[in-house]
Amino acid sequence: MDDTVRTLAEIDATAAKVVFRSCSADYFTYTVECDSSTVAIPSLTQSVTLFRDGVKFFSGVVTDRSQQQDRVTVVVSGPWWQLDNMVLEVNQADGTGAVAPRPSLPVGGSFKAIIETVINYAIAAGAPIALGTVSTYFDVPANTYNQSTYGQVLAELLRLVPDGMAWFDYSTTNPTLNVTRRGVATTRTIDITDCAEFEAKPRIQLKLNYLKIHYTDRAPNGRRRWQSQTAGTPAIGFNGITMVSGPEMDTFLPDEPTDSVFISSFPTSGSPATLRAFLNATDSVLTQLISRYTNNWFNYPGAVPYFQTQSPEVGGASIPYHTSTPSASSIPAQQGTIGPVFKVNGVAISGTKYVVDSSAALPDWLTSENGIAVYDAILDVDIPVIVDYSETTSYGKGFPTSSLPGVVEFAGYCWRNEPQLFNVYGSPYPKRGIFIYKATANVKLLDNQIVGTIYRRPSFTYRAPPANFASNLLASQNWTPYDGRFTMPLDESGGTRYRGCKIRVTNSRITAHATMDALVESEELDLMNDMTTVILGAPPRVDYQTWVDKSRTTPQANIIYL
């Protein structure tokens, strides 16, 4: 104290003890008599360090100094006191993208990493501690801790997995915080005949043989669906049933819309047959043309529409369907074909997109809530309408365009004197005329192909447990906890340490004590009388009378907003 090293005798202490606790502040307390001690009483928040054989044994700050009559008692609290009085804040982005500290910590995944993250956040916030060794755990469900201190969050985490102990090693520059699981904790074996006091009571109601974890998820149509994970073998009185998520955990849940829409689409670079089928079904004029002239467009093989003739004028060559200078008495000139053009905002698209060909209107939520981009586009395509007809003379003026519905352009004709088609109309002069129908259609385009029912995304989803969570959680509670205490006189208090350890007892009439591996809740050293008292069991802040009480979860841990 005051940068001066003093013994307990030199400060005239009449009583002194140091207590090491899991999930609570360790503390050193001593009492002096006012009429006999001349040593100054330390001020509040003053740092005090306790040494044993020249090694730091405890350190903290003065958090209380109270007087009763002629006695003053000083309490020095370890660094968990700071953890219990520092509100956890984590930088988070708001809707504008700005980042600021908020009293909220979303967690999930590796339990070991979560504990280490909380400790590191505390260190960054100024807690006078260092990160020690954290035992290996398993993955846990997502959760959020709001408006809590660092100490509260750490204690709440250890409530979830109750086979762990938190303890400080004070021999380092800053006290090192460790979290040790029962399976890897150091074993301390005591002889009951050496104890001045001993008590051990099993808490069999906290042991589990079987665990079922209920949760809720979404079916493909967005509706809630009951799910569960199980582990172990059922045994009456030793079955645990808890929840990760579900409507039972909350009195209010947001609306859960179940709208849906069927979408079918095909690529803009798809086959002519697909485009033909789409336009045939959506264009009323084209439907009339099909009904009146069965020998219609795309009825012939090939990548583009064409027709084959054995007319001597063209020598049986394939004739593309379009010409820029049609004539009533000429064969269409061969030139490049004009394929379909998809335009968005008047600009032809590049690459491949997907044409929606389902009849249902696309709802607004498809984009605003499900995030599927939908483009309003215009499809321009020149469609050849091939009409067979006959002339009474070999050089007529062609088929009158007025006989065709819609906007068409006469592109020319050729003689149709193939042997297999001869005399179809009872005339020696059958002709095949080509007319261009300029189709324009309003279409919807997608970035990715969809064929099937799309369900409206709900505003939230339910928390789900990680794989094997039930079996891992069961393993952390498939043992019998013990409450109790023992007191042992020692030649020099603190020679054997018990915090962070598990306890076995020999020479007990109850043989189970020899392997009970009871957790240590606290270790109390009476420095004036060289007595050590060890309290067995769970820390008071995470201790519950039944497993049901301990396993209850809060509504805030129920759902995750999307």
Side-chain angles (χ1 to χ4, degrees), residues 211-448:
L211 179 60
K212 177 189 284 186
I213 298 177
H214 290 286
Y215 66 100
T216 303
D217 70 358
R218 299 284 187 186
N221 62 4
R223 296 184 182 275
R224 66 174 66 149
R225 180 171 58 182
W226 308 138
Q227 301 282 20
S228 65
Q229 279 189 17
T230 62
T233 302
I236 299 300
F238 299 94
N239 298 330
I241 298 178
T242 188
M243 297 194 69
V244 166
S245 61
E248 300 89 343
M249 291 176 56
D250 213 334
T251 56
F252 169 79
L253 288 173
D255 292 336
E256 299 182 71
T258 56
D259 302 349
S260 65
V261 62
F262 177 81
I263 297 178
S264 177
S265 61
F266 62 90
T268 53
S269 58
S271 69
T274 303
L275 183 60
R276 176 190 66 207
F278 171 66
L279 289 173
N280 285 351
T282 58
D283 191 299
S284 59
V285 173
L286 194 56
T287 301
Q288 294 181 55
L289 294 174
I290 294 171
S291 65
R292 292 176 59 178
Y293 308 103
T294 57
N295 190 7
N296 213 318
W297 71 297
F298 285 149
N299 284 344
Y300 299 90
V304 296
Y306 70 94
F307 64 91
Q308 186 77 21
T309 177
Q310 294 183 10
S311 171
E313 289 91 340
V314 295
S318 298
I319 300 179
Y321 66 75
H322 191 40
T323 177
S324 59
T325 56
S327 170
S329 59
S330 66
I331 303 300
Q334 297 192 52
Q335 66 175 58
T337 59
I338 300 176
V341 177
F342 295 90
K343 298 177 181 178
V344 176
N345 296 326
V347 179
I349 65 169
S350 60
T352 298
K353 293 195 181 298
Y354 297 86
V355 183
V356 176
D357 65 347
S358 48
S359 58
L362 300 185
D364 293 338
W365 55 258
L366 194 67
T367 297
S368 62
E369 298 179 23
N370 287 47
I372 298 175
V374 179
Y375 305 93
D376 290 316
I378 292 186
L379 166 61
D380 289 334
V381 60
D382 289 351
I383 301 174
V385 180
I386 303 171
V387 180
D388 292 334
Y389 61 101
S390 63
E391 291 285 354
T392 56
T393 63
S394 60
Y395 295 100
K397 291 189 180 275
F399 192 85
T401 58
S402 59
S403 299
L404 295 173
V407 180
V408 296
E409 172 187 308
F410 179 62
Y413 65 87
C414 71
W415 302 115
R416 186 166 166 263
N417 57 1
E418 301 93 324
Q420 66 270 30
L421 297 176
F422 191 70
N423 282 335
V424 170
Y425 296 98
S427 168
Y429 306 111
K431 286 187 178 180
R432 176 164 291 166
I434 302 175
F435 301 84
I436 303 301
Y437 170 58
K438 294 185 174 297
T440 297
N442 294 317
V443 297
K444 303 284 188 181
L445 300 182
L446 307 173
D447 286 323
N448 300 293

Side-chain angles (χ1 to χ4, degrees), residues 157-164 473 476-477 479 519 538 547 550:
L157 288 169
L158 291 178
R159 178 183 72 87
L160 175 64
V161 184
D163 67 345
L473 190 59
S476 72
Q477 301 172 84
W479 51 280
L519 299 183
W547 190 87
K550 182 172 69 66

Side-chain angles (χ1 to χ4, degrees), residues 3-16:
D3 295 327
T4 303
V5 178
R6 299 183 177 91
T7 65
L8 292 176
E10 289 173 337
I11 64 172
D12 299 323
T14 59

